[in-house]
Amino acid sequence: MAQRIEHLDDLIAEAGSLPPAPTAVVDAGERHVLEAAHQAAQKGLIEPLLIGQREVIAPLLQELGADYPIVDVVTPEDAAAQGVLAVQEGRAKLLMKGHLHTAEFLHPILKQLRRAPRLSHVFAAELDRYPKLLFITDAAINITPDLEAKAQILQNAVDLARLLGNERPKVAALSAIEVVNPAVASTVDAACLAKMAERGQIRHALVDGPLAFDNAISAESARIKGIDSAVAGDVDILLAPDLVSGNILYKDLEYLAGARFAGIVLGASVPVVLTSRADPETVRLASLALARVAHHRETAPT
């Protein structure tokens, strides 16, 4: 098992110690996108391959004082297709979303690069009041996953946590309450996921649920409510019941609790960085570092 990473700075440091990864930046003709790619390149994390309209990208690069290869295409759909082709031809080891819509970006990845049963997104959060990285999934791709989809999303997150040195991550399958209530479908799914993990249908994880957020995070809250759980207060992965819940959770942690984040898409043949224009450069940089370390640890000879 590789050395465990507990902080985003450790992640960035490890990524910086590795050779820079050729990275296809898809639809790169936007200042924030290019600034993030340039900053990551200056820190030695990536070697950008910029895909998009040359007439837009070249002047922005000149303003940044940077020079990277450009694949000249007209439409976002063409940019997404060229990003996939760069991976298939070995010219890129990572994919980074630029200015195009998420659906346009992911469509060819789903068709041609998917290797797991499902693509899903994972955020790694660092909070001052929590002693280790806290993974949140899925807050970006799967809208209303059913039980089968949740199991696949969870397995992706577990596999990532293990790559980062957590041999048997503890998972809380979240709901609004901590008891099974057939009227609240997410409680039934959570209980099923816990049993599936016991039976080996979800590998290498300790899963408990349903758990509400307070008793997932706080062992004291769980004790007060009479919940006997090895996960409560020591959770590694929070599985949201749906995209809306997960998205609200991660944004609450970022904007109100000051959490730092890195996030990537899992389930493709290479890690995929899916950031928003609203994300600060620190999130983009940490996300590229997470992608770089995950790719290296997965592909490095043992």
Side-chain angles (χ1 to χ4, degrees), residues 164-243:
L164 299 185
N166 189 337
E167 186 170 2
R168 192 167 185 245
K170 296 180 178 180
V171 179
L174 295 179
S175 186
I177 53 178
E178 57 277 347
V179 295
V180 175
N181 182 340
V184 183
S186 58
T187 68
V188 178
D189 286 351
C192 289
L193 290 166
K195 181 57 68 175
M196 289 169 73
E198 287 182 16
R199 300 290 170 84
Q201 291 175 269
I202 298 168
R203 303 179 305 279
H204 309 302
L206 176 61
V207 181
D208 196 5
L211 289 173
F213 180 78
D214 58 341
N215 44 65
I217 292 294
S218 167
E220 178 65 9
S221 174
R223 185 192 63 78
I224 292 170
K225 292 186 176 183
I227 301 168
D228 182 14
S229 171
V231 171
D234 193 33
V235 66
D236 298 296
I237 300 171
L238 298 175
L239 176 69
D242 54 50
L243 181 145

Side-chain angles (χ1 to χ4, degrees), residues 125-130 134 136 213 217 248-261:
E126 182 176 316
L127 298 109
D128 290 340
R129 296 184 61 184
Y130 203 69
L134 183 64
I136 300 169
F213 180 78
I217 292 294
I248 292 171
L249 172 59
Y250 110 79
K251 287 178 179 174
D252 279 350
L253 293 176
E254 180 178 20
Y255 285 92
L256 294 179
R260 299 173 61 205
F261 280 96

Side-chain angles (χ1 to χ4, degrees), residues 105-121:
F105 177 57
L106 291 179
H107 180 68
I109 296 173
L110 274 165
K111 289 186 66 176
Q112 300 180 62
L113 297 182
R114 186 172 65 179
R115 66 169 188 189
R118 180 168 299 271
L119 293 187
S120 60
H121 188 275

Side-chain angles (χ1 to χ4, degrees), residues 43-168:
K43 291 185 176 295
L45 304 184
I46 68 171
E47 294 175 347
L49 173 65
L50 306 177
I51 303 175
Q53 296 184 48
R54 184 183 299 275
E55 63 183 18
V56 175
I57 295 172
L60 292 172
L61 279 182
Q62 189 171 13
E63 292 175 15
L64 290 173
D67 183 20
Y68 304 115
I70 300 172
V71 177
D72 188 23
V73 299
V74 175
T75 68
E77 293 86 354
D78 289 341
Q82 286 296 317
V84 166
L85 184 62
V87 171
Q88 292 174 325
E89 293 181 347
R91 292 180 287 124
K93 293 182 179 179
L94 307 178
L95 282 170
M96 177 181 171
K97 176 182 173 292
H99 194 51
L100 75 175
H101 293 297
T102 297
E104 293 173 322
F105 177 57
L106 291 179
H107 180 68
I109 296 173
L110 274 165
K111 289 186 66 176
Q112 300 180 62
L113 297 182
R114 186 172 65 179
R115 66 169 188 189
R118 180 168 299 271
L119 293 187
S120 60
H121 188 275
V122 176
F123 280 112
E126 182 176 316
L127 298 109
D128 290 340
R129 296 184 61 184
Y130 203 69
K132 56 185 176 179
L133 290 180
L134 183 64
F135 297 89
I136 300 169
T137 192
D138 179 342
I141 295 180
N142 294 277
I143 300 172
T144 53
D146 59 14
L147 176 61
E148 181 181 17
K150 287 177 181 178
Q152 294 164 349
I153 291 166
L154 182 50
Q155 191 64 65
N156 284 348
V158 168
D159 292 345
L160 175 64
R162 284 173 53 79
L163 279 178
L164 299 185
N166 189 337
E167 186 170 2
R168 192 167 185 245

Side-chain angles (χ1 to χ4, degrees), residues 286-298:
S287 297
L288 284 165
L290 176 59
R292 179 68 188 102
V293 170
H295 181 269
H296 172 75
R297 289 193 174 193
E298 185 172 28

